[in-house]
């Protein structure tokens, strides 16, 4: 969850989400993140928050993320425009569904990863909803405006907050306020009503658990937050547990597992590039993507389990038995559900098989670490 730090003379005042005062009132420890003052944990601590999300329902404020709409005269037109920047098949995205994809540069590296949703309303047939990462949103929006020109209109939804309700009890909790929630399949997206409040609702998240992301107008965000926290099954969860949950789920974090040098194929995201796009190309960096699909990438994202109890961190060198650096750790920490340290990193294909023994540099020493299968904790996304 790290973001590049600004130098003292570049630091701007931190932004606040519509729920900032709620976090402070709950005793959250606030930290700078992607230009916002965000809760990293509440008084119970990261491990308790992590475990509560695994066992019940955790509520996250993710309003720092970028929400926007891309609009053209028809779905075909807006899909064609967006497909010039992403490798996913947007044309065949069905109404009421959302799809994960990436903005790519001309070298096939990743500028950001994002969610794209298509409305169920025939009157909005030329409208796509986008959710992009907080630290990249201004660059993403500039990219869309610059590259798409008049082919599609970008409307930034800065007046909307975003909440995530995650965990095995999320559907039951949300179902008490939104009758449509429980019937939604995984990766569905629709408009709905929460106790009479208009919301945008998707069945998705970033924890490996079942759950939802809820888009709501800023002036109703506190009402939703307080209503959900009034349920004893729900606890507030900060950025610390959000990161440990996604690490156990083996999910990519932009700026760590994804960056402008890393392709979706290297990151193990070939599943996010549908057959038509793999074959036809027509997106930035397509030649590299097609070459890596055909011949394999030079490096592969893998799970890692260090021996012992000491966690390894981002940037730690991975070495072979001869002590030669062969890869790098991109994320690492303690996995509360796993009960020990885990990490994600990149290694050459020849060293990527589960069980491969490597060394990791930790505080000046080379310690044993093994390539391990991901996810570290099985996904429990809803299956309809």
């Amino acid at each position: 969850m790290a973001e590049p730090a600004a130098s003292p003379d570049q630091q701007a005042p931190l932004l606040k989400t519509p729920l900032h005062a709620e976090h402070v009132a709950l005793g959250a420890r606030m930290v700078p993140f992607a230009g916002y003052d965000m809760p990293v944990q509440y008084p119970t601590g990261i491990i308790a928050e992590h475990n509560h999300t695994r066992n019940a329902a955790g509520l996250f404020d993710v309003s720092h993320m970028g929400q926007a709409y891309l609009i053209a005269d028809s779905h075909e037109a807006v899909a064609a425009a967006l497909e010039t920047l992403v490798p996913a098949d947007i044309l065949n995205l069905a109404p009421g569904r959302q799809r994960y994809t990436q903005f790519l540069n001309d070298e096939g590296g990743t500028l950001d990863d994002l969610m794209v949703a298509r409305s169920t309303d025939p009157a909005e047939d030329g409208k796509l909803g986008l959710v992009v990462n907080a630290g990249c949103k201004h660059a993403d929006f500039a990219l869309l405006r610059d590259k798409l020109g008049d082919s599609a209109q970008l409307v930034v939804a800065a007046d909307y907050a975003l909440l995530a309700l995650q965990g095995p009890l999320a559907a039951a909790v949300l179902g008490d306020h939104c009758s449509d929630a429980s019937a939604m399949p995984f990766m569905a997206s629709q408009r709905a009503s929460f106790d009479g409040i208009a919301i945008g609702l998707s069945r998705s998240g970033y924890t490996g658990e079942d759950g939802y992301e809820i888009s709501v107008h800023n002036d109703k965000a506190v009402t939703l937050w307080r209503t959900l926290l009034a349920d004893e099954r729900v606890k507030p969860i900060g950025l610390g547990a959000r990161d440990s949950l996604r690490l156990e789920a083996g999910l990519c974090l932009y700026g760590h597992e994804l960056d402008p040098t890393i392709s979706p194929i290297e990151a193990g995201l070939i599943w996010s590039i549908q057959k038509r796009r793999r074959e036809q190309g027509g997106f930035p960096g397509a030649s590299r993507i097609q070459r890596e699909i055909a011949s394999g990438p030079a490096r592969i994202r893998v799970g890692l389990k260090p021996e012992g109890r000491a966690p390894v961190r981002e940037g730690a060198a991975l070495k072979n038995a001869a002590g030669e650096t062969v890869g790098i750790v991109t994320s690492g920490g303690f996995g509360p559900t796993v009960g020990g340290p885990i990490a994600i990193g990149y290694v050459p294909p020849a060293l990527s098989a589960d069980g491969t023994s490597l060394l990791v540099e930790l505080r000046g020493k080379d310690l044993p670490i093994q390539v391990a299968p991901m996810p570290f904790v099985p996904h429990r996304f809803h299956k309809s």
Side-chain angles (χ1 to χ4, degrees), residues 97-122:
R97 302 292 297 169
Q98 70 173 6
R99 186 160 279 171
Y100 169 80
T101 190
Q102 309 84 29
F103 288 126
L104 302 182
N105 59 28
D106 290 339
E107 293 73 43
T110 308
L111 298 173
D112 196 11
D113 57 344
L114 67 152
M115 287 288 192
V116 182
R118 183 178 177 185
S119 175
T120 55
D121 185 350

mmCIF file of all heavy atoms in Angstrom, residues 97-122:
data_model
loop_
_atom_site.group_PDB
_atom_site.id
_atom_site.type_symbol
_atom_site.label_atom_id
_atom_site.label_comp_id
_atom_site.label_asym_id
_atom_site.label_seq_id
_atom_site.Cartn_x
_atom_site.Cartn_y
_atom_site.Cartn_z
ATOM 1 N N ARG A 97 -22.521 -6.086 -16.006
ATOM 2 C CA ARG A 97 -21.291 -6.781 -15.651
ATOM 3 C C ARG A 97 -20.124 -5.803 -15.599
ATOM 4 O O ARG A 97 -20.176 -4.727 -16.187
ATOM 5 C CB ARG A 97 -20.972 -7.870 -16.686
ATOM 6 C CG ARG A 97 -22.059 -8.916 -16.850
ATOM 7 C CD ARG A 97 -22.207 -9.774 -15.618
ATOM 8 N NE ARG A 97 -20.999 -10.536 -15.340
ATOM 9 C CZ ARG A 97 -20.783 -11.211 -14.206
ATOM 10 N NH1 ARG A 97 -21.692 -11.182 -13.231
ATOM 11 N NH2 ARG A 97 -19.664 -11.889 -14.030
ATOM 12 N N GLN A 98 -19.086 -6.167 -14.861
ATOM 13 C CA GLN A 98 -17.881 -5.362 -14.845
ATOM 14 C C GLN A 98 -16.684 -6.252 -15.140
ATOM 15 O O GLN A 98 -16.747 -7.474 -14.985
ATOM 16 C CB GLN A 98 -17.709 -4.618 -13.531
ATOM 17 C CG GLN A 98 -17.371 -5.450 -12.323
ATOM 18 C CD GLN A 98 -17.068 -4.591 -11.113
ATOM 19 O OE1 GLN A 98 -17.210 -3.373 -11.116
ATOM 20 N NE2 GLN A 98 -16.641 -5.225 -10.034
ATOM 21 N N ARG A 99 -15.610 -5.634 -15.573
ATOM 22 C CA ARG A 99 -14.432 -6.380 -16.008
ATOM 23 C C ARG A 99 -13.184 -5.672 -15.510
ATOM 24 O O ARG A 99 -13.102 -4.438 -15.507
ATOM 25 C CB ARG A 99 -14.443 -6.477 -17.532
ATOM 26 C CG ARG A 99 -13.367 -7.334 -18.149
ATOM 27 C CD ARG A 99 -13.778 -7.754 -19.571
ATOM 28 N NE ARG A 99 -14.685 -8.894 -19.524
ATOM 29 C CZ ARG A 99 -15.345 -9.367 -20.574
ATOM 30 N NH1 ARG A 99 -15.235 -8.773 -21.748
ATOM 31 N NH2 ARG A 99 -16.117 -10.422 -20.461
ATOM 32 N N TYR A 100 -12.204 -6.465 -15.114
ATOM 33 C CA TYR A 100 -10.908 -5.954 -14.666
ATOM 34 C C TYR A 100 -9.977 -5.833 -15.872
ATOM 35 O O TYR A 100 -9.914 -6.733 -16.708
ATOM 36 C CB TYR A 100 -10.312 -6.919 -13.643
ATOM 37 C CG TYR A 100 -8.862 -6.655 -13.293
ATOM 38 C CD1 TYR A 100 -8.521 -5.657 -12.387
ATOM 39 C CD2 TYR A 100 -7.843 -7.411 -13.863
ATOM 40 C CE1 TYR A 100 -7.191 -5.416 -12.062
ATOM 41 C CE2 TYR A 100 -6.511 -7.182 -13.546
ATOM 42 C CZ TYR A 100 -6.188 -6.181 -12.644
ATOM 43 O OH TYR A 100 -4.875 -5.944 -12.330
ATOM 44 N N THR A 101 -9.244 -4.715 -15.957
ATOM 45 C CA THR A 101 -8.294 -4.545 -17.051
ATOM 46 C C THR A 101 -7.191 -3.583 -16.628
ATOM 47 O O THR A 101 -7.082 -3.226 -15.444
ATOM 48 C CB THR A 101 -9.010 -4.084 -18.336
ATOM 49 O OG1 THR A 101 -8.096 -4.150 -19.435
ATOM 50 C CG2 THR A 101 -9.574 -2.672 -18.201
ATOM 51 N N GLN A 102 -6.357 -3.185 -17.597
ATOM 52 C CA GLN A 102 -5.212 -2.323 -17.310
ATOM 53 C C GLN A 102 -5.063 -1.264 -18.397
ATOM 54 O O GLN A 102 -5.339 -1.525 -19.568
ATOM 55 C CB GLN A 102 -3.901 -3.130 -17.256
ATOM 56 C CG GLN A 102 -3.930 -4.347 -16.354
ATOM 57 C CD GLN A 102 -4.517 -5.572 -17.041
ATOM 58 O OE1 GLN A 102 -4.435 -5.725 -18.262
ATOM 59 N NE2 GLN A 102 -5.126 -6.441 -16.255
ATOM 60 N N PHE A 103 -4.599 -0.079 -18.010
ATOM 61 C CA PHE A 103 -4.081 0.886 -18.975
ATOM 62 C C PHE A 103 -2.631 0.488 -19.254
ATOM 63 O O PHE A 103 -1.846 0.312 -18.315
ATOM 64 C CB PHE A 103 -4.104 2.308 -18.410
ATOM 65 C CG PHE A 103 -5.484 2.904 -18.298
ATOM 66 C CD1 PHE A 103 -5.931 3.426 -17.088
ATOM 67 C CD2 PHE A 103 -6.328 2.969 -19.396
ATOM 68 C CE1 PHE A 103 -7.195 3.995 -16.987
ATOM 69 C CE2 PHE A 103 -7.593 3.535 -19.299
ATOM 70 C CZ PHE A 103 -8.026 4.039 -18.095
ATOM 71 N N LEU A 104 -2.287 0.373 -20.538
ATOM 72 C CA LEU A 104 -0.936 -0.026 -20.916
ATOM 73 C C LEU A 104 -0.225 1.098 -21.660
ATOM 74 O O LEU A 104 -0.866 1.903 -22.337
ATOM 75 C CB LEU A 104 -0.971 -1.271 -21.810
ATOM 76 C CG LEU A 104 -1.639 -2.521 -21.224
ATOM 77 C CD1 LEU A 104 -1.545 -3.678 -22.209
ATOM 78 C CD2 LEU A 104 -1.005 -2.901 -19.890
ATOM 79 N N ASN A 105 1.118 1.127 -21.548
ATOM 80 C CA ASN A 105 1.903 2.059 -22.352
ATOM 81 C C ASN A 105 2.324 1.374 -23.659
ATOM 82 O O ASN A 105 2.029 0.190 -23.876
ATOM 83 C CB ASN A 105 3.094 2.609 -21.566
ATOM 84 C CG ASN A 105 4.043 1.518 -21.069
ATOM 85 O OD1 ASN A 105 4.165 0.447 -21.659
ATOM 86 N ND2 ASN A 105 4.734 1.799 -19.961
ATOM 87 N N ASP A 106 3.018 2.085 -24.509
ATOM 88 C CA ASP A 106 3.373 1.549 -25.818
ATOM 89 C C ASP A 106 4.346 0.381 -25.733
ATOM 90 O O ASP A 106 4.506 -0.371 -26.703
ATOM 91 C CB ASP A 106 3.972 2.651 -26.697
ATOM 92 C CG ASP A 106 2.939 3.684 -27.121
ATOM 93 O OD1 ASP A 106 1.733 3.362 -27.092
ATOM 94 O OD2 ASP A 106 3.331 4.819 -27.460
ATOM 95 N N GLU A 107 5.002 0.223 -24.582
ATOM 96 C CA GLU A 107 5.921 -0.891 -24.388
ATOM 97 C C GLU A 107 5.242 -2.084 -23.725
ATOM 98 O O GLU A 107 5.902 -3.085 -23.414
ATOM 99 C CB GLU A 107 7.112 -0.448 -23.531
ATOM 100 C CG GLU A 107 8.016 0.585 -24.205
ATOM 101 C CD GLU A 107 7.390 1.964 -24.280
ATOM 102 O OE1 GLU A 107 6.780 2.404 -23.274
ATOM 103 O OE2 GLU A 107 7.496 2.604 -25.340
ATOM 104 N N GLY A 108 3.937 -1.995 -23.499
ATOM 105 C CA GLY A 108 3.217 -3.095 -22.866
ATOM 106 C C GLY A 108 3.306 -3.113 -21.361
ATOM 107 O O GLY A 108 2.844 -4.054 -20.713
ATOM 108 N N GLY A 109 3.912 -2.070 -20.764
ATOM 109 C CA GLY A 109 3.940 -1.949 -19.310
ATOM 110 C C GLY A 109 2.631 -1.391 -18.787
ATOM 111 O O GLY A 109 1.826 -0.823 -19.536
ATOM 112 N N THR A 110 2.407 -1.528 -17.498
ATOM 113 C CA THR A 110 1.122 -1.188 -16.898
ATOM 114 C C THR A 110 1.151 0.197 -16.265
ATOM 115 O O THR A 110 1.943 0.466 -15.360
ATOM 116 C CB THR A 110 0.740 -2.237 -15.842
ATOM 117 O OG1 THR A 110 0.833 -3.544 -16.417
ATOM 118 C CG2 THR A 110 -0.672 -2.008 -15.334
ATOM 119 N N LEU A 111 0.266 1.069 -16.733
ATOM 120 C CA LEU A 111 0.140 2.420 -16.190
ATOM 121 C C LEU A 111 -0.803 2.457 -14.992
ATOM 122 O O LEU A 111 -0.686 3.305 -14.120
ATOM 123 C CB LEU A 111 -0.357 3.379 -17.266
ATOM 124 C CG LEU A 111 0.557 3.535 -18.484
ATOM 125 C CD1 LEU A 111 -0.131 4.384 -19.545
ATOM 126 C CD2 LEU A 111 1.879 4.167 -18.071
ATOM 127 N N ASP A 112 -1.776 1.554 -14.972
ATOM 128 C CA ASP A 112 -2.710 1.413 -13.855
ATOM 129 C C ASP A 112 -3.579 0.201 -14.140
ATOM 130 O O ASP A 112 -3.674 -0.256 -15.276
ATOM 131 C CB ASP A 112 -3.584 2.664 -13.682
ATOM 132 C CG ASP A 112 -4.278 2.727 -12.317
ATOM 133 O OD1 ASP A 112 -3.921 1.931 -11.432
ATOM 134 O OD2 ASP A 112 -5.173 3.581 -12.137
ATOM 135 N N ASP A 113 -4.227 -0.328 -13.102
ATOM 136 C CA ASP A 113 -5.269 -1.327 -13.319
ATOM 137 C C ASP A 113 -6.587 -0.747 -12.837
ATOM 138 O O ASP A 113 -6.627 0.128 -11.970
ATOM 139 C CB ASP A 113 -4.941 -2.670 -12.681
ATOM 140 C CG ASP A 113 -4.669 -2.606 -11.178
ATOM 141 O OD1 ASP A 113 -4.423 -1.504 -10.640
ATOM 142 O OD2 ASP A 113 -4.682 -3.667 -10.543
ATOM 143 N N LEU A 114 -7.677 -1.212 -13.433
ATOM 144 C CA LEU A 114 -8.966 -0.569 -13.203
ATOM 145 C C LEU A 114 -10.116 -1.535 -13.401
ATOM 146 O O LEU A 114 -9.941 -2.625 -13.961
ATOM 147 C CB LEU A 114 -9.139 0.621 -14.145
ATOM 148 C CG LEU A 114 -9.277 0.319 -15.653
ATOM 149 C CD1 LEU A 114 -10.099 1.415 -16.336
ATOM 150 C CD2 LEU A 114 -7.913 0.212 -16.333
ATOM 151 N N MET A 115 -11.287 -1.122 -12.938
ATOM 152 C CA MET A 115 -12.535 -1.837 -13.176
ATOM 153 C C MET A 115 -13.382 -1.047 -14.164
ATOM 154 O O MET A 115 -13.452 0.191 -14.092
ATOM 155 C CB MET A 115 -13.315 -2.023 -11.876
ATOM 156 C CG MET A 115 -12.717 -3.051 -10.937
ATOM 157 S SD MET A 115 -12.953 -4.723 -11.554
ATOM 158 C CE MET A 115 -12.501 -5.671 -10.103
ATOM 159 N N VAL A 116 -14.042 -1.774 -15.074
ATOM 160 C CA VAL A 116 -14.923 -1.173 -16.072
ATOM 161 C C VAL A 116 -16.283 -1.851 -15.974
ATOM 162 O O VAL A 116 -16.373 -3.089 -16.031
ATOM 163 C CB VAL A 116 -14.369 -1.355 -17.499
ATOM 164 C CG1 VAL A 116 -15.277 -0.679 -18.516
ATOM 165 C CG2 VAL A 116 -12.947 -0.821 -17.604
ATOM 166 N N ALA A 117 -17.345 -1.067 -15.805
ATOM 167 C CA ALA A 117 -18.687 -1.612 -15.642
ATOM 168 C C ALA A 117 -19.628 -1.053 -16.703
ATOM 169 O O ALA A 117 -19.533 0.113 -17.083
ATOM 170 C CB ALA A 117 -19.235 -1.293 -14.251
ATOM 171 N N ARG A 118 -20.554 -1.929 -17.151
ATOM 172 C CA ARG A 118 -21.566 -1.520 -18.125
ATOM 173 C C ARG A 118 -22.931 -1.468 -17.455
ATOM 174 O O ARG A 118 -23.330 -2.396 -16.757
ATOM 175 C CB ARG A 118 -21.600 -2.487 -19.310
ATOM 176 C CG ARG A 118 -22.588 -2.083 -20.397
ATOM 177 C CD ARG A 118 -22.540 -3.060 -21.569
ATOM 178 N NE ARG A 118 -23.547 -2.714 -22.572
ATOM 179 C CZ ARG A 118 -23.819 -3.432 -23.657
ATOM 180 N NH1 ARG A 118 -23.133 -4.567 -23.882
ATOM 181 N NH2 ARG A 118 -24.741 -3.051 -24.512
ATOM 182 N N SER A 119 -23.642 -0.402 -17.676
ATOM 183 C CA SER A 119 -24.948 -0.199 -17.058
ATOM 184 C C SER A 119 -25.976 -1.206 -17.561
ATOM 185 O O SER A 119 -25.893 -1.692 -18.697
ATOM 186 C CB SER A 119 -25.446 1.226 -17.351
ATOM 187 O OG SER A 119 -26.751 1.413 -16.864
ATOM 188 N N THR A 120 -26.967 -1.505 -16.718
ATOM 189 C CA THR A 120 -28.101 -2.341 -17.127
ATOM 190 C C THR A 120 -29.198 -1.518 -17.797
ATOM 191 O O THR A 120 -30.118 -2.084 -18.383
ATOM 192 C CB THR A 120 -28.714 -3.050 -15.906
ATOM 193 O OG1 THR A 120 -29.068 -2.051 -14.927
ATOM 194 C CG2 THR A 120 -27.726 -4.019 -15.284
ATOM 195 N N ASP A 121 -29.101 -0.197 -17.718
ATOM 196 C CA ASP A 121 -30.145 0.688 -18.236
ATOM 197 C C ASP A 121 -29.951 0.916 -19.740
ATOM 198 O O ASP A 121 -28.925 1.464 -20.152
ATOM 199 C CB ASP A 121 -30.077 2.026 -17.488
ATOM 200 C CG ASP A 121 -31.205 2.981 -17.867
ATOM 201 O OD1 ASP A 121 -31.935 2.686 -18.838
ATOM 202 O OD2 ASP A 121 -31.340 4.010 -17.188
ATOM 203 N N PRO A 122 -30.924 0.508 -20.578
ATOM 204 C CA PRO A 122 -30.778 0.723 -22.025
ATOM 205 C C PRO A 122 -30.560 2.186 -22.386
ATOM 206 O O PRO A 122 -29.930 2.490 -23.403
ATOM 207 C CB PRO A 122 -32.109 0.200 -22.590
ATOM 208 C CG PRO A 122 -32.616 -0.760 -21.571
ATOM 209 C CD PRO A 122 -32.179 -0.211 -20.254
#
